[in-house]
Every structure is written in C-alpha cells, then in structure tokens.
Amino acid sequence: MHREMSSQLLADLHSHQVLSSQDIAQGFLSLLEDVNDLLLDTPEALQVIGNFIARAVADDCIPVEFVATMSSQATTKEASEALQRAEYLLAANHGWIKLDNVWGTGGGIRPVKVLVNKMQMLLKEYLDSFDIQEAMRCLKELEVPHFHHELVYEAVIMVIEDSSDQAAANMVKLLKFMCDAVLITVDQLERGFDRAIQALPELSVDVPNTFLLTERFVLLCTDAGFMSTSLADKLPGKGRKRFVSEGDGGLIKS
C-alpha cells in the first residue's frame, strides 16, 4: 500500500509541476547509486526500484528513454539488474496500462486523474491497433465499472478531435462490442454521452465541425443498435447540420 501511495504521490507532484521529470529522474539515479546499501536492509530492492521506475514511465513522470539511457550507462551489476527489471515490465505490459497494478492494488483507490489518463491511453492504443479484445482486457483490469462513463466521454471527444471517418467507425465498433458484452451499461453509456454533449460548446472553439461530427457519430451509434435514438434529441442545435433520411441519399442539409 505504501509503495502504491508513493507512486501516486510522484504522479501527483509531477502533474502539479512540483517535481519535474528531471527531478524524478535524478532521484532514481541517486537510488541506483546507493543500491548496494539499500540491499543490506531490503533484499528485494532491485525489483522494487525497477517497479518504481517502470510505473513512473507509465505515469508519464519520466520519459521511456530514461531507462534505455541509464541501462547503457549503468556502472554496477545491481543498477543494471534494477533497470532490466523496469525494461522487462515496460516491454511485457502492452501499452503500460497494466503497470497501474504493479503494486497489486485495485482500481478503486486510484486518483480520478490516473484513471482518466489510463482510459485515454487505452483508446489511443485501440485506434492504433484496432485490438478490441486487448481494449476490453485493459478496461476490465482498471476495476472501476462505476467509472466506465469516462471511457465513453473520452471516446466521443477523441472522435471529434480526430475528425476522421475511420476513427469514428472504429470507435463505434469498440463501444458496440463493449455494450453488447455489458462491460459498458446503458446508464454508463448515456452518462458518458451526456457529459460529452455538455462539453461541445467549449470544444467547438478548437474544432469548428464539433456539432456536425458529434451528430454523425451519434447516428452511427444508433444505427449500430446499441444507443437509443432519444439521445440524438439532446444534441444542441447551435452550429449543427441535419442529416436527412436514407431515402434522400444520405446527404446533409443545412
């Protein structure tokens, strides 16, 4: 528990710009320099330091290049073994999302910001790999079914920001699969979309087509059969264009 809390503290201090990546990296360098002394009282020190380093990389506290650079510059066998442990964890855990459990803790005690980052990472990796099963597995491992609305919210925002038909189509496939498997419940689905809809005015400042892109995505979801058509009625009217019926050839009317 204390190790998990320490990892969370590092992530929070870094996110609030109290500690820089350089500060954290220097701290790990100091640990590696003193590793022989640490081994006297903590026989598992090499594994523990390796876990901390890998988790810090996964939490975006230090760049992944830090591990490779230090491995090539390690001056002792012990330091090299600790860094090899970190390299192993980073290589073995697809997308690093599983490193959130490196200390064996469950999702319920993790800060919201950490969970949000993990879900964003999960979705980005899915759009790169299109591996639905891996995305499902990663979401389950977060162990926060009450927070799955955040995944839906982030998915909508990501589709809008990407603005491509491919991203929208692939995200529909993912959400449909998760809804059909009841990994995302109807309540969580609607809550996530409601939150995304509330964020549209602000998002439209950076993405002019926000309302049109959202309407298209909602219609794709309803056509896929996992979303109620009543949700489309919640879309704000400002800046929108209206889809006509399929009988009109799928064109868009202003």
Side-chain angles (χ1 to χ4, degrees):
M1 177 66 74
H2 290 160
R3 292 169 181 173
E4 171 62 24
M5 293 175 67
S6 295
S7 287
Q8 290 183 19
L9 179 61
L10 284 177
D12 287 343
L13 290 174
H14 181 261
S15 67
H16 289 87
Q17 300 181 342
V18 177
L19 291 177
S20 67
S21 294
Q22 186 175 359
D23 293 331
I24 296 173
Q26 186 58 52
F28 284 128
L29 287 175
S30 297
L31 284 173
L32 291 170
E33 290 173 358
D34 297 336
V35 69
N36 286 327
D37 292 336
L38 293 172
L39 283 169
L40 296 176
D41 297 319
T42 311
E44 72 275 19
L46 301 183
Q47 178 178 348
V48 172
I49 294 174
N51 286 8
F52 268 116
I53 292 174
R55 173 65 178 271
V57 172
D59 286 341
D60 295 323
C61 295
I62 55 175
V64 65
E65 292 80 12
F66 168 81
V67 182
T69 300
M70 289 311 303
S71 291
S72 65
Q73 298 176 359
T75 58
T76 67
K77 175 185 176 183
E78 290 76 16
S80 180
E81 288 182 11
L83 289 162
Q84 286 174 6
R85 167 68 178 175
E87 288 181 317
Y88 167 77
L89 289 172
L90 291 168
N93 289 279
H94 176 75
W96 308 341
I97 196 167
K98 301 180 185 69
L99 289 173
D100 204 37
N101 285 330
V102 72
W103 302 119
T105 56
I109 69 171
R110 278 168 270 174
V112 169
K113 185 169 184 178
V114 171
L115 292 171
V116 170
N117 288 339
K118 297 303 178 185
M119 290 187 178
Q120 290 172 340
M121 186 185 303
L122 180 163
L123 291 170
K124 288 177 182 177
E125 288 170 358
Y126 165 72
L127 289 180
D128 286 337
S129 67
F130 311 126
D131 190 338
I132 291 179
Q133 292 297 333
E134 181 63 22
M136 294 265 290
R137 190 156 48 246
C138 289
L139 183 59
K140 289 178 181 178
E141 288 183 355
L142 290 179
E143 299 177 342
V144 285
H146 61 283
F147 198 58
H148 285 181
H149 61 86
E150 178 65 27
L151 183 85
V152 178
Y153 169 82
E154 295 294 344
V156 177
I157 300 302
M158 205 168 288
V159 165
I160 295 170
E161 291 178 339
D162 186 282
S163 301
S164 70
D165 292 341
Q166 183 180 22
N170 284 313
M171 203 67 85
V172 168
K173 291 179 182 178
L174 177 65
L175 292 178
K176 176 176 173 54
F177 201 93
M178 289 183 168
C179 288
D180 288 348
V182 201
L183 185 56
I184 295 177
T185 63
V186 173
D187 176 67
Q188 293 289 309
L189 179 72
E190 293 184 352
R191 185 176 175 187
F193 265 94
D194 283 339
R195 289 180 53 216
I197 288 172
Q198 292 173 16
L200 294 185
E202 182 177 352
L203 191 59
S204 66
V205 175
D206 297 318
V207 185
N209 292 337
T210 289
F211 295 97
L212 178 57
L213 290 168
T214 306
E215 184 171 16
R216 284 177 172 172
F217 187 58
V218 169
L219 289 177
L220 286 173
C221 292
T222 55
D223 287 346
F226 66 89
M227 180 182 293
S228 169
T229 55
S230 63
L231 192 61
D233 297 332
K234 298 182 180 181
L235 291 170
K238 183 179 179 180
R240 286 175 49 207
K241 292 184 176 181
R242 181 176 60 83
F243 280 89
V244 298
S245 66
E246 291 182 2
D248 292 317
L251 301 176
I252 301 173
K253 288 185 177 180
S254 298

